[in-house]
């Protein structure tokens, strides 16, 4: 590599997006904490409120239930009465969430 192309190579490397950053966890946590999302599962509607401290308050067809949530980078883990679930999560354009398994959580209004 010549001296002339070295600065270009350095600039290209610096402009590449990094994998997971600490900010992604911070952004996701700020987006979900205190907010309620709606999920449909097996034909049933469930509302989930992600509370500060890692608790999930759920309103389900079977009544009120609780669970826990945690983030590790952009991986969201939820422990709920019907089982645990972990996977990558992304914020959608409409403010909802898309989970790695294809499930969507829409903002509840």
């Amino acid at each position: 590599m010549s001296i002339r192309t070295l600065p270009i190579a350095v600039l290209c490397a610096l402009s590449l997006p990094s994998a997971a950053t600490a900010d992604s966890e911070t952004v996701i946590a700020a987006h979900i904490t205190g907010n309620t999302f709606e999920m449909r599962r097996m034909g049933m509607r469930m509302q989930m409120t992600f509370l500060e401290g890692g608790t999930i308050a759920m309103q389900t067809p079977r009544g009120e239930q609780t669970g826990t949530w945690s983030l590790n980078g952009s991986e969201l883990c939820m422990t709920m009465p019907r089982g645990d679930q972990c996977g990558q999560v992304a914020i959608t354009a409409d403010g909802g969430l898309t989970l790695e398994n294809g499930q969507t959580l829409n903002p509840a209004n």
Side-chain angles (χ1 to χ4, degrees):
M1 183 178 292
S2 74
I3 290 289
R4 289 181 160 200
T5 58
L6 183 60
I8 294 171
V10 170
L11 286 175
C12 288
L14 291 175
S15 66
L16 292 174
S18 60
T21 64
D23 289 342
S24 64
E25 182 175 332
T26 303
V27 168
I28 294 168
H31 181 75
I32 66 175
T33 303
N35 290 315
T36 302
F37 297 89
E38 183 176 283
M39 176 173 77
R40 293 190 185 270
R41 188 174 197 178
M42 297 172 14
M44 296 183 288
R45 193 178 110 217
M46 176 171 57
Q47 288 193 334
M48 306 168 68
T49 303
F50 292 82
L51 303 172
E52 194 168 327
T55 300
I56 303 172
M58 296 175 276
Q59 185 63 44
T60 73
R62 297 180 182 198
E64 294 181 13
Q65 298 182 348
T66 60
T68 61
W69 67 274
S70 63
L71 279 169
N72 183 10
S74 60
E75 181 181 60
L76 174 65
C77 288
M78 296 180 284
T79 302
M80 298 180 277
R82 300 204 87 178
D84 301 346
Q85 176 178 338
C86 286
Q88 297 297 311
V89 64
I91 300 171
T92 63
D94 68 353
L97 303 170
T98 299
L99 305 176
E100 184 176 324
N101 65 3
Q103 254 178 345
T104 57
L105 300 173
N106 298 309
N109 295 329

